[in-house]
Amino acid sequence: MSIEQVLPSLEGLKVILPPDIPSDYGRDESGAARMPEAVVEATSAAEVSKLLGACAAAGVAVTPRGAGTGQAGGCVPVNGGVVLSLAKLNGILEVDEAARTMRVQPGALLQDVKAEAERHGLRYPPDPGEKTATIGGNAATDAGGPGALKYGTTSDYVLDAEIVLASGEIVRLKDRPEYAGVIGGEGTLGVVTELTLRLEEPAGSDAILLLPFADGESCAAAAGRIIAEGYAPAMAEYLDTALVEYSGSVTGNAVFPVELDGERVAATLMLTLEGADEDAVMEQMETLAELAEELECLDILVGDTPTMKREFMAAYEAFHSSVEGAKSSCEANVSVPAQRVWEYMEYARGVGEELGVKPMFCAHLGSGGVHAYAVSEQARSEYAPQSEAFVKALYAESVRLGGEAAGEYGVGCTKQEYVAAERRERYAALKAELDPAGILNPGKAVR
Ligand SMILES: Cc1cc2nc3c(=O)[nH]c(=O)nc-3n(C[C@H](O)[C@H](O)[C@H](O)COP(=O)(O)OP(=O)(O)OC[C@H]3O[C@@H](n4cnc5c(N)ncnc54)[C@H](O)[C@@H]3O)c2cc1C
């Protein structure tokens, strides 16, 4: 059946049809694009259920969408059909301070979830980069980010969820744990219409430390040593000086060190230390200073005031937008075993040299997430052949090293060929059980 035959069953729902569909509904930040035949902007689980029931019966594809910030084409309707926008189902329903939980609808933005937790003296730790992503999109991609080292990923904070299955049936995860795969299922196994999130007490005090190194390999190795010595940094980020410089040239202020006492910094380790109070953080900083000498870092720069911490985080968060603003750019976001991050970056440099692509890196040391970026002044069409070859080589290498091309950001439609065969099989069995008609986000397979 076609979409026209489904439309009469959607009475009462907000349906947008061509030519009125805004072009955003056909793309995300990956560059993948295809316009849907209809968009439904849902405002309740009942509406989602009505839509899915009708589409399952008619065999019409439905692609859930949050804010469309994904980088893997997850919300792009590659097989056409309906885009189901959850953006307007965005209420924060309840914060239970005593139980430290928040009940929230999927379209609420990450920044609003975090701010609401803070208003109640609590915190929602996951912080996967893009604050204007929806919490539903975070849950569907099991988003991690720099804090994953200490705090885990979004699924670690999902205590319960309301899920609409492809059939239109509405279930609670708490009652039906067999549907846990919907969290991280990239909208292919069910639609999340409500989440109960676990919140935490905030750390009493924290500080951001910058440890610049004259050679990148020592920087990459330092985090492992620091963690092995018993420190539990909330973040341990590898900041490539090439990326620091590039981003600084865009924003007007590099913030992170590029040169110290005439010596070029190759990379900086950015660490966040937390403790019960200022004394506890100070104590860690003092002992770390001794270790830092052994690790041969060039200096330790401390950000312990709110202004400095904000400045460091703003400079860090500007990396991505600076790259995106270039005339041409590409990026590969993967995960590799934590001890192989340096080896991976060396590979990327080598393959970049062969292809005429100059990579710059930011990596979540400790958890193995690597973001490789490259920019060019060439026109997009001219740069595309070598940048695409570069990104493909990097995805393949992440798998070869025992990591995942999907690592962070999901599989979507751009990383399909890098899903391991056994995962594909496991996923196919789950898909057949939860969505036998294959209407939910077809064209995507999941990690
Ligand atoms: C600057 C930047 C930095 C980032 N850094 C990180 C990082 O460090 N680590 C990391 O893990 N990620 C990172 N990301 C990726 C980020 O986590 C995703 O972009 C975000 O989670 C997607 O949310 P969204 O609302 O935009 O979802 P969309 O892009 O709209 O959708 C993403 C996927 O989720 C599905 N989906 C959306 N809502 C629902 C729902 N309610 N029910 C079922 N399925 C749904 C869609 O079908 C799609 O498959 C970064 C992104 C950006 C732009």
Side-chain angles (χ1 to χ4, degrees):
M1 263 206 271
S2 68
I3 185 82
E4 280 74 26
Q5 287 160 299
V6 174
L7 291 176
S9 343
L10 304 185
E11 215 190 306
L13 272 61
K14 172 143 190 230
V15 181
I16 311 173
L17 296 171
D20 299 326
I21 300 178
S23 59
D24 274 359
Y25 281 123
R27 58 180 187 231
D28 67 357
E29 293 190 16
S30 68
R34 159 124 191 218
M35 286 305 285
E37 290 151 61
V39 171
V40 170
E41 293 181 343
T43 57
S44 69
E47 289 186 0
V48 173
S49 166
K50 189 170 178 176
L51 172 72
L52 292 190
C55 288
V60 169
V62 179
T63 301
R65 177 186 175 93
T69 68
Q71 315 261 309
C75 66
V76 177
V78 290
N79 283 14
V82 180
V83 160
L84 165 60
S85 170
L86 284 313
K88 293 206 161 71
L89 186 54
N90 60 4
I92 293 182
L93 304 175
E94 183 189 17
V95 175
D96 183 334
E97 288 181 15
R100 292 193 204 139
T101 59
M102 181 188 293
R103 221 156 47 78
V104 65
Q105 291 179 323
L109 302 185
L110 173 64
Q111 62 193 15
D112 297 335
V113 168
K114 291 179 91 67
E116 187 65 17
E118 275 170 31
R119 258 194 294 281
H120 289 268
L122 296 166
R123 80 167 150 171
Y124 174 68
D127 198 4
E130 180 55 69
K131 307 279 196 299
T132 64
T134 66
I135 195 71
N138 280 187
T141 55
D142 193 12
L149 172 60
K150 183 168 181 183
Y151 291 105
T153 59
T154 305
S155 60
D156 295 312
Y157 293 83
V158 175
L159 295 175
D160 190 18
E162 180 186 68
I163 292 164
V164 184
L165 300 175
S167 60
E169 188 189 351
I170 303 176
V171 298
R172 280 259 159 209
L173 191 53
K174 218 164 46 178
D175 307 327
R176 307 286 291 273
E178 67 270 31
Y179 297 127
V182 173
I183 306 302
E186 297 187 36
T188 68
L189 300 172
V191 178
V192 176
T193 49
E194 193 187 300
L195 290 159
T196 304
L197 302 171
R198 178 166 67 82
L199 305 177
E200 288 194 349
E201 287 288 333
S205 183
D206 62 14
I208 300 180
L209 272 56
L210 303 180
L211 280 64
F213 287 80
D215 92 284
E217 188 170 9
S218 304
C219 180
R225 177 75 194 281
I226 288 168
I227 292 164
E229 293 285 336
Y231 296 88
M235 260 171 80
E237 296 291 292
Y238 178 98
L239 314 181
D240 188 358
T241 301
L243 184 57
V244 166
E245 269 179 319
Y246 177 75
S247 187
S249 73
V250 175
T251 62
N253 185 359
V255 175
F256 302 116
V258 168
E259 203 181 279
L260 281 172
D261 299 329
E263 191 158 10
R264 164 99 182 157
V265 174
T268 294
L269 174 61
M270 176 162 100
L271 287 177
T272 303
L273 296 179
E274 296 176 333
D277 52 30
E278 277 179 30
D279 287 349
V281 175
M282 184 59 77
E283 203 177 302
Q284 289 181 63
M285 289 199 292
E286 279 167 8
T287 54
L288 189 71
E290 289 164 30
L291 178 61
E293 254 180 61
E294 225 183 284
L295 295 171
E296 293 181 352
C297 72
L298 299 171
D299 200 353
I300 298 189
L301 312 171
V302 178
D304 52 2
T305 65
T307 309
M308 287 177 87
K309 285 187 274 189
R310 257 198 313 275
E311 195 183 0
F312 288 166
M313 286 311 293
Y316 172 78
E317 284 167 3
F319 290 163
H320 192 271
S321 50
S322 300
V323 168
E324 284 206 326
K327 191 165 177 189
S328 293
S329 66
C330 65
E331 63 184 272
N333 305 297
V334 306
S335 69
V336 295
Q339 70 281 9
R340 304 191 84 168
V341 167
W342 176 253
E343 182 184 346
Y344 182 74
M345 293 192 290
E346 283 289 88
Y347 169 84
R349 279 192 197 93
V351 78
E353 205 163 308
E354 279 167 30
L355 291 165
V357 172
K358 282 198 187 134
M360 311 180 284
F361 306 94
C362 168
H364 312 319
L365 296 170
S367 64
V370 183
H371 306 292
Y373 302 104
V375 292
S376 168
E377 278 306 302
Q378 285 174 276
R380 273 171 197 271
S381 55
E382 274 173 44
Y383 192 51
Q386 72 252 48
S387 62
E388 280 169 17
F390 173 72
V391 168
K392 282 186 164 204
L394 261 58
Y395 285 161
E397 181 67 1
S398 67
V399 175
R400 198 189 68 80
L401 290 185
E404 287 182 34
E408 294 208 307
Y409 297 68
V411 177
C413 60
T414 60
K415 299 181 186 174
Q416 288 287 309
E417 61 194 282
Y418 306 101
V419 179
E422 67 272 18
R423 285 184 183 237
R424 207 174 268 284
E425 271 170 38
R426 212 169 42 229
Y427 168 77
L430 204 55
K431 178 79 172 168
E433 194 187 323
L434 297 191
D435 178 18
I439 60 151
L440 267 178
N441 210 352
K444 321 279 167 68
V446 168
R447 35 186 147 169

